[in-house]
Amino acid sequence: MSVLIASLSMTSCQDYLDMPSYNAVDTETVFASELTADMFVQGCYRGIIHSELFYQLGAGETVTHSCEDGTTNNSKYNICNYFYDATTPYTVTTIFKEQYRIIESTNIAISRLNQMLETDKRNALIGEAKAIRAFCYYNLIRVYGDVPAVWTPLEELNPDDENTFYPKRSSRDEIYDRIIADLQSAVQDIPWNSQSGYPTYERLTKQGTYALLARVALHAGGYSLRWNLETNAASSLMMSQRSDNARVQELYQIADNACQAVISQNENSLVQAQGNKSGFEYLWYNFCQRNFSATKPEMLWEVANLGPNTNSPFGVYAHPGTRGGVFGSRKALQFMLPTYYLSFNANDTRRDVSCTSYSIYFLNNGSASDKWVDVGTTFSCIMPGKFRMSWGIEPQGAAQRNINIPVLRYADVLLMYAETQNYLNNGPTAAAKNALQEVRDRAGIGSITMPSDRQGFEDAIVQERKWEFAGEFNLRTDLIRMNRLATELAATKQDMKDLSDKKNAYANTAVYRLYKFHFDAQAYGDPFLGVEYIDLTDPVEIASIQTIPTTSSQYTTFLETTASVAQAHGYTVASGDKWYPVNMFEAYTSSYNGNSRKAVGFTGGFNTLQIGNIIYTKPTGSAENGGQYPNWIQAPDGSDGLYYGFQENRSELLPFANKSAGHPIIDNPNLTQHPGYLQ
């Protein structure tokens, strides 16, 4: 039987990009040698992380949010707010299709490789195919729950058996147990990176497979939305762990052992500060630059993206946004919730890497002779920063970024190990504290008090994961497996309302910020981190900038005033330096903020950003919104706002799409619907 495969060599980055595809190649020929079999396995990586995983499901985890609001009626906004059902397009159907496409390829690989002469290389390829398949099932389960389990190539199944073409849902526990056993077997045969000869972590090695084993085991032993597969009754829906507590303990121990194996091997470490960059900044700047030698100590598995054939829109949506110039007009479609931005400790070096309070926009008219500015933004448009365009290399096209997709990092191993140690010992052990401390030390917050009780330590792990892994599309399901999603969403909604009202923890949050005017370098590889700013809290200083001049004859005096405020805060104001105020609680497009940018020199498009509509044009403050919360925080009638569609014991998993929305349930009459979406 002939199969369609896309195989690329991964022995070097350039080979991986340039190797031509195989099409309609007979499997007997492919698996006649280890060389071509190896190429087939490598082809299984292509498309393994579909854009829906980061574009649709990379938000709604109390950190990242869609830039567009409910008036645009788009899927990413509704999905990040948990408003989806089986009859609308607000589903993630391509994840289902693509994961099973890859599962079929890995099933072929495993079957055919087992027919080859046994060698260490053959065994490693089997292990690699099993690990890729395990990752696919892990993705399917964390999105859909119980899904069909297919372990044999279609060509080897009985065509007269209805389950061949129309498989039913299988118990997720059985699938988890199978793929965990596969991963435990795989780590015995896959080499450590130091023994592999691979120049990067674009291919799974032993440390990446161990880390994947730990992640899968934690999900298998953790909480998930479950129901009775026999009755499919909505009344049986509940968040719970599997009923076998002994197996739960065993799964946490498996995860613990896997993390310990990576740590003990001592091949990996957190990237540390170098030059004038913090460790976290150095990691992500070099990641965007594809400087693999600099990131190799920490990256355990990353999916390759480079060139016209092996690329994806990863990172196209999550960046500061830019209008014209070298980077082109590329719209950012995700932003960071201001409560997340404000949650960081003052010493935490991760904030200005993960969050940018600027966007790139032209000064006057966007012509070739114009200048581009890193323009300061407001609380309703704090932008993602790990994958900013200016840090990268020039892409082949607007929908490609050449930025690899990070899947597993050594920081994740440390935090998973801290979590398992805490869980298994009913409180944090010295090893657990040391692992958490290592992550905190790299971030610059090692002096934060270390919790000594089990719940407090778990709380710290949850928060640390948010600070560390923003934009890496695992936080949503991490909250689910830890049974924290409902409480974390509720807490974030309340925090956002408190921020909007400027009360409780946000009573002293500065309303006015003074940004330093800064031209963008307009060059790929620009190491720029963030616009300098001063949060204004002194009433006299605030009074001096509260009235923005509206005529050009007054601009010079106004800029002299802002410069004197900057000097009072210890800044040296050189000739040509300019500072301008922003009301952080107003919309970016408010009269005050727009006139402030005019005063500093903006003319063309002074009130526009290349950011997805509409939230940046809305305020954050309730007072700035006429005395009520902006709709994107909470609509008066509850029809919009943060997580407005969330229903506990329903929304933790997505439905399959019905006929009106397309694939996949209409293709399989035996595939029962999530019982919360039967109507």
Side-chain angles (χ1 to χ4, degrees):
M1 177 180 178
S2 296
V3 296
L4 294 175
I5 60 173
S7 298
L8 296 171
S9 172
M10 296 178 70
T11 55
S12 73
C13 184
Q14 192 60 42
D15 287 345
Y16 177 53
L17 301 172
D18 294 342
M19 180 67 70
S21 299
Y22 277 72
N23 293 295
V25 179
D26 183 80
T27 53
E28 296 291 343
T29 302
V30 170
F31 292 96
S33 74
E34 287 183 349
L35 176 63
T36 50
D38 189 309
M39 294 172 66
F40 185 99
V41 171
Q42 291 172 44
C44 295
Y45 285 93
R46 177 175 283 184
I48 196 169
I49 295 181
H50 186 265
S51 61
E52 287 178 341
L53 277 170
F54 50 84
Y55 181 53
Q56 307 282 31
L57 297 177
E61 24 50 317
T62 77
V63 170
T64 310
H65 204 67
S66 169
C67 285
E68 300 177 334
D69 73 359
T71 63
T72 60
N73 200 33
N74 68 83
S75 60
K76 62 185 174 297
Y77 180 79
N78 288 293
I79 288 177
C80 88
N81 282 311
Y82 298 86
F83 178 76
Y84 38 73
D85 58 42
T87 59
T88 66
Y90 311 140
T91 53
V92 286
T93 58
T94 311
I95 290 175
F96 187 95
K97 178 184 68 176
E98 287 298 293
Q99 298 302 292
Y100 278 109
R101 175 187 64 80
I102 297 169
I103 287 170
E104 171 65 11
S105 293
T106 57
N107 285 343
I108 292 170
I110 294 164
S111 175
R112 294 290 179 152
L113 284 163
N114 272 303
Q115 298 172 37
M116 295 176 65
L117 181 68
E118 182 175 6
T119 65
D120 289 345
K121 177 65 174 178
R122 185 214 70 156
N123 291 345
L125 289 173
I126 292 174
E128 192 172 358
K130 286 182 176 180
I132 294 170
R133 182 173 68 181
F135 183 69
C136 291
Y137 275 119
Y138 156 76
N139 287 328
L140 287 165
I141 293 171
R142 66 193 183 113
V143 174
Y144 296 112
D146 307 293
V147 293
V150 183
W151 310 105
T152 306
L154 185 61
E155 63 181 345
E156 297 177 20
L157 294 174
N158 180 3
D160 296 324
D161 185 344
E162 67 170 4
N163 289 321
T164 296
F165 299 106
Y166 302 116
K168 299 177 181 179
R169 285 185 186 264
S170 301
S171 164
R172 76 193 69 179
D173 294 335
E174 294 175 3
I175 299 174
Y176 271 138
D177 288 347
R178 172 71 179 265
I179 63 176
I180 285 169
D182 282 347
L183 288 168
Q184 288 176 310
S185 171
V187 292
Q188 304 305 313
D189 297 318
I190 296 176
W192 292 103
N193 184 269
S194 60
Q195 301 166 346
S196 68
Y198 305 149
T200 73
Y201 279 102
E202 293 174 332
R203 191 166 182 176
L204 278 163
T205 53
K206 196 183 293 287
Q207 41 266 80
T209 309
Y210 266 127
L212 179 59
L213 171 59
R215 177 160 280 284
V216 172
L218 284 175
H219 275 74
Y223 284 81
S224 57
L225 181 63
R226 297 171 176 270
W227 64 88
N228 188 317
L229 290 182
E230 297 298 323
T231 65
N232 214 44
S235 59
S236 65
L237 283 163
M238 64 179 298
M239 286 291 296
S240 65
Q241 293 173 287
R242 60 170 72 191
S243 58
D244 184 352
N245 186 62
R247 178 57 175 164
V248 170
Q249 295 292 315
E250 185 179 8
L251 289 166
Y252 272 84
Q253 188 63 61
I254 289 170
D256 186 83
N257 293 343
C259 292
Q260 179 61 51
V262 177
I263 294 169
S264 298
Q265 181 65 15
N266 204 31
E267 280 189 24
N268 300 95
S269 61
L270 299 181
V271 171
Q272 300 298 325
Q274 296 191 40
N276 61 348
K277 289 182 172 62
S278 70
F280 202 68
E281 181 185 356
Y282 190 83
L283 168 68
W284 291 111
Y285 176 79
N286 283 284
F287 185 82
C288 293
Q289 277 285 293
R290 304 185 63 81
N291 183 0
F292 298 125
S293 61
T295 62
K296 194 172 183 180
E298 184 160 348
M299 288 294 168
L300 304 185
W301 183 24
E302 53 190 287
V303 175
N305 277 280
L306 180 63
N309 299 319
T310 311
N311 218 315
S312 85
F314 175 70
V316 169
Y317 316 105
H319 58 81
T322 181
R323 183 61 178 267
V326 169
F327 308 123
S329 291
R330 302 191 187 168
K331 184 178 289 186
L333 296 176
Q334 293 176 338
F335 80 110
M336 315 304 281
L337 288 178
T339 46
Y340 174 68
Y341 175 77
L342 294 168
S343 73
F344 285 88
N345 181 280
N347 297 319
D348 200 323
T349 60
R350 294 172 294 194
R351 190 199 68 173
D352 290 345
V353 175
S354 298
C355 310
T356 64
S357 58
Y358 73 90
S359 185
I360 304 170
Y361 206 77
F362 57 75
L363 183 62
N364 295 313
N365 53 28
S367 67
S369 61
D370 201 359
K371 297 283 189 179
W372 272 257
V373 177
D374 298 306
V375 56
T377 57
T378 66
F379 281 145
S380 60
C381 46
I382 300 291
M383 308 310 298
K386 280 181 180 173
F387 313 112
R388 63 192 77 186
M389 287 178 290
S390 57
W391 279 5
I393 64 174
E394 186 173 1
Q396 279 70 28
Q400 297 175 328
R401 288 294 308 283
N402 298 331
I403 296 178
N404 281 5
I405 303 176
V407 186
L408 292 162
R409 294 197 277 124
Y410 187 67
D412 200 358
V413 170
L414 290 173
L415 292 183
M416 286 191 293
Y417 185 57
E419 181 182 344
T420 56
Q421 283 285 298
N422 183 56
Y423 184 94
L424 292 167
N425 296 281
N426 199 32
T429 60
K433 293 178 179 179
N434 289 339
L436 176 55
Q437 188 69 37
E438 192 170 341
V439 175
R440 286 181 168 181
D441 285 344
R442 195 266 295 271
I445 58 169
S447 61
I448 292 180
T449 302
M450 183 73 66
S452 58
D453 63 296
R454 176 175 175 172
Q455 187 60 56
F457 195 81
E458 181 183 295
D459 294 345
I461 291 291
V462 170
Q463 184 58 62
E464 202 69 37
R465 295 195 74 85
K466 291 182 184 182
W467 288 331
E468 184 73 24
F469 298 115
E472 297 179 59
F473 53 91
N474 281 314
L475 294 178
R476 184 170 171 143
T477 51
D478 276 335
L479 292 177
I480 291 171
R481 70 171 176 80
M482 299 178 81
N483 202 24
R484 304 283 295 244
L485 185 64
T487 55
E488 293 288 330
L489 295 183
T492 299
K493 288 172 65 175
Q494 186 58 54
D495 282 345
M496 278 300 305
K497 289 192 285 187
D498 285 352
L499 175 63
S500 186
D501 290 334
K502 306 181 190 69
K503 68 179 185 181
N504 296 332
Y506 306 97
N508 297 319
T509 301
V511 173
Y512 292 95
R513 175 174 288 187
L514 206 60
Y515 282 110
K516 185 177 182 180
F517 185 85
H518 183 270
F519 284 119
D520 188 82
Q522 288 290 286
Y524 286 101
D526 176 17
F528 177 70
L529 179 63
V531 180
E532 292 181 273
Y533 69 88
I534 303 164
D535 281 332
L536 302 180
T537 57
D538 181 86
V540 175
E541 291 179 341
I542 291 171
S544 73
I545 55 88
Q546 270 188 312
T547 302
I548 304 290
T550 56
T551 59
S552 58
S553 62
Q554 300 171 310
Y555 289 166
T556 299
T557 300
F558 181 73
L559 293 177
E560 288 174 352
T561 298
T562 59
S564 67
V565 173
Q567 287 175 320
H569 284 265
Y571 286 89
T572 299
V573 179
S575 176
D577 285 354
K578 294 185 282 188
W579 293 76
Y580 58 102
V582 167
N583 185 314
M584 298 297 289
F585 284 84
E586 289 184 0
Y588 179 87
T589 56
S590 73
S591 295
Y592 178 92
N593 290 332
N595 285 330
S596 178
R597 285 187 293 276
K598 281 185 178 180
V600 83
F602 279 82
T603 57
F606 68 94
N607 252 2
T608 306
L609 289 178
Q610 195 67 3
I611 293 172
N613 296 333
I614 299 286
I615 292 177
Y616 86 93
T617 67
K618 307 297 181 185
T620 297
S622 56
E624 292 77 4
N625 193 54
Q628 65 183 29
Y629 300 120
N631 277 10
W632 69 272
I633 295 177
Q634 180 173 292
D637 62 358
S639 62
D640 195 3
L642 290 174
Y643 320 129
Y644 70 94
F646 181 75
Q647 296 181 45
E648 194 170 0
N649 293 326
R650 177 188 180 186
S651 304
E652 291 86 355
L653 292 172
L654 274 76
F656 293 129
N658 277 342
K659 184 175 182 179
S660 60
H663 187 86
I665 195 169
I666 58 168
D667 298 336
N668 185 351
N670 292 330
L671 196 58
T672 60
Q673 182 60 278
H674 179 323
Y677 297 93
L678 290 175
Q679 66 273 19

